[in-house]
């Protein structure tokens, strides 16, 4: 390994929703660059343990940390645990997210609230708890996983889209507040990425999506992990409050 390929050596990272999909790819990428990784999950411990193994195979320490991001007290307790065990938290990737599609006029209150609680409130709770440590340390990197649909809108996904658009506003506001403490806050807006979340789309919808991606392929979780790894690196020290599209050109 070259010096450069271990650019995150000594860094402590928490990735929410790190057990599967995009989150798993981010965990293993950060591990490959030398970071200690806390892999968050909420229900699927076996998947989180598998991600931990993949990280450890990169020669770093990694831990599964189960908590529901929409539970403010559980988030605070988890960040406290990380501080006790690792003395600091350098990198937070707010990746955990869910979607439940349906027509806006038929959307149930509980579905709306659940999506907001996890996708938006969860990112707020985690960022707030992490920021307290990062501000004291005068160093931090926060990346919020928004979505292309938060920029474009999308029929049939009103609560998901609203939560992802709100994450963009949260990113910019918090970036302004934390900049003086050397804490950067950015958002990534993935396009159509092959994970369990998009597996549920029917063949016709998948074909339609492929037709509007100029680069002509579905994105992979690694496409998102690579950009996230840049944003949390020292190379991105002058990048904050930015919304980075990783979508094959689907939205420009
Ligand atoms: P995924 O495969 O469905 O994985 C979701 C992850 O979030 C899992 O690790 C899951 O943990 C975790 N999670 C769900 N609810 C949670 C909660 N309340 N507390 C903690 N963790 C929770 O999703 P993905 O496709 O990788 O998406 C990851 C992120 O990218 C999401 O924010 C999503 O909105 C965003 N995104 C995805 C796409 C795409 O095309 N896939 C496009 C744009 C944006 P368990 O394993 O324990 O269930």
């Amino acid at each position: 390994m070259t010096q450069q390929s271990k650019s995150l050596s000594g860094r402590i990272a928490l990735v929410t929703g790190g057990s599967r999909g995009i989150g798993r790819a981010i965990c293993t990428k950060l591990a490959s660059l030398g970071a200690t990784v806390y892999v968050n999950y909420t229900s699927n411990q076996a998947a989180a343990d598998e991600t931990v193994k993949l990280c450890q195979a990169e020669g770093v320490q990694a831990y599964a940390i189960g908590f529901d991001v929409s539970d403010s007290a559980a988030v605070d307790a988890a960040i406290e645990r990380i501080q006790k065990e690792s003395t600091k938290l350098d990198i937070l990737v707010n990746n955990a997210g869910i979607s439940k599609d349906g027509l806006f006029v038929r959307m149930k209150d509980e579905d709306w609230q659940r999506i907001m609680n996890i996708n938006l409130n969860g990112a707020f709770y985690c960022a707030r708890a992490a920021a307290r440590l990062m501000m004291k340390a005068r160093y931090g990197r926060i990346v919020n996983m928004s979505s292309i649909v938060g920029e474009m809108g999308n029929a049939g996904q009103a609560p998901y889209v609203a939560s992802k658009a709100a994450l963009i506003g949260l990113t910019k506001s918090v970036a302004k507040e934390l900049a003086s403490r050397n804490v950067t806050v950015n958002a990534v807006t993935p396009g159509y990425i092959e994970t369990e979340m998009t597996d549920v789309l029917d063949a016709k919808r998948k074909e339609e999506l492929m037709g509007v991606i100029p680069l002509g392929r579905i994105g992979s979780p690694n496409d998102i992990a690579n950009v996230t790894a840049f944003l949390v690196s020292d190379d991105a020290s002058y990048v904050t409050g930015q919304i980075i599209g990783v979508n094959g050109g689907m939205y420009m």
Side-chain angles (χ1 to χ4, degrees):
M1 279 290 168
T2 63
Q3 188 87 30
Q4 195 180 4
S5 65
K6 291 287 182 188
S7 55
L8 296 181
S9 182
R11 298 289 183 214
I12 310 294
L14 167 63
V15 180
T16 68
S19 49
R20 297 183 279 120
I22 291 171
R24 172 178 284 177
I26 293 171
C27 288
T28 51
K29 179 72 186 181
L30 301 190
S32 76
L33 296 171
T36 293
V37 183
Y38 283 84
V39 178
N40 163 251
Y41 67 98
T42 186
S43 59
N44 195 338
Q45 184 169 1
D49 288 342
E50 184 56 35
T51 305
V52 165
K53 273 193 205 143
L54 292 168
C55 293
Q56 288 169 339
E58 299 289 345
V60 298
Q61 292 187 309
Y63 310 93
I65 184 164
F67 63 90
D68 181 341
V69 294
S70 68
D71 178 343
S72 169
V75 168
D76 286 348
I79 303 282
E80 206 179 308
R81 171 186 150 187
I82 294 171
Q83 188 194 13
K84 275 198 185 125
E85 283 176 6
S86 299
T87 73
K88 60 175 185 166
L89 179 62
D90 301 300
I91 296 166
L92 167 68
V93 182
N94 274 319
N95 167 78
I98 60 161
S99 75
K100 183 156 196 269
D101 299 354
L103 289 178
F104 170 65
V105 290
R106 292 200 195 136
M107 188 60 59
K108 294 194 177 103
D109 291 1
E110 55 265 34
D111 289 334
W112 175 276
Q113 277 149 10
R114 190 170 136 70
I115 291 168
M116 288 296 168
N117 283 342
I118 293 173
N119 295 6
L120 177 60
N121 299 2
F124 159 59
Y125 299 142
C126 292
R128 182 179 58 182
R132 291 178 184 135
L133 302 186
M134 292 172 174
M135 286 167 75
K136 268 192 211 139
R138 296 284 193 276
Y139 183 90
R141 296 277 187 270
I142 298 174
V143 174
N144 294 321
M145 204 53 66
S146 175
S147 170
I148 187 172
V149 296
E151 300 171 295
M152 295 172 65
N154 200 20
Q157 286 198 307
Y160 179 77
V161 170
S163 72
K164 294 297 183 182
L167 269 183
I168 291 174
L170 181 74
T171 299
K172 292 181 179 179
S173 297
V174 180
K176 286 188 177 183
E177 278 194 38
L178 302 187
S180 66
R181 311 298 171 97
N182 193 31
V183 177
T184 67
V185 187
N186 292 288
V188 173
T189 52
Y192 173 24
I193 310 298
E194 197 161 25
T195 69
E196 285 173 35
M197 187 179 269
T198 48
D199 259 1
V200 296
L201 298 173
D202 61 34
K204 187 170 163 272
R205 182 70 188 129
K206 284 183 181 173
E207 210 180 297
E208 279 169 12
L209 284 167
M210 284 294 290
V212 293
I213 301 172
L215 282 177
R217 68 170 175 88
I218 300 173
S220 78
N222 287 336
D223 290 318
I224 306 304
N226 290 337
V227 172
T228 304
F230 166 69
L231 290 172
V232 303
S233 74
D234 286 346
D235 287 343
S237 60
Y238 200 54
V239 180
T240 197
Q242 302 306 304
I243 314 306
I244 313 293
V246 185
N247 58 38
M250 193 173 162
Y251 178 73
M252 298 184 187

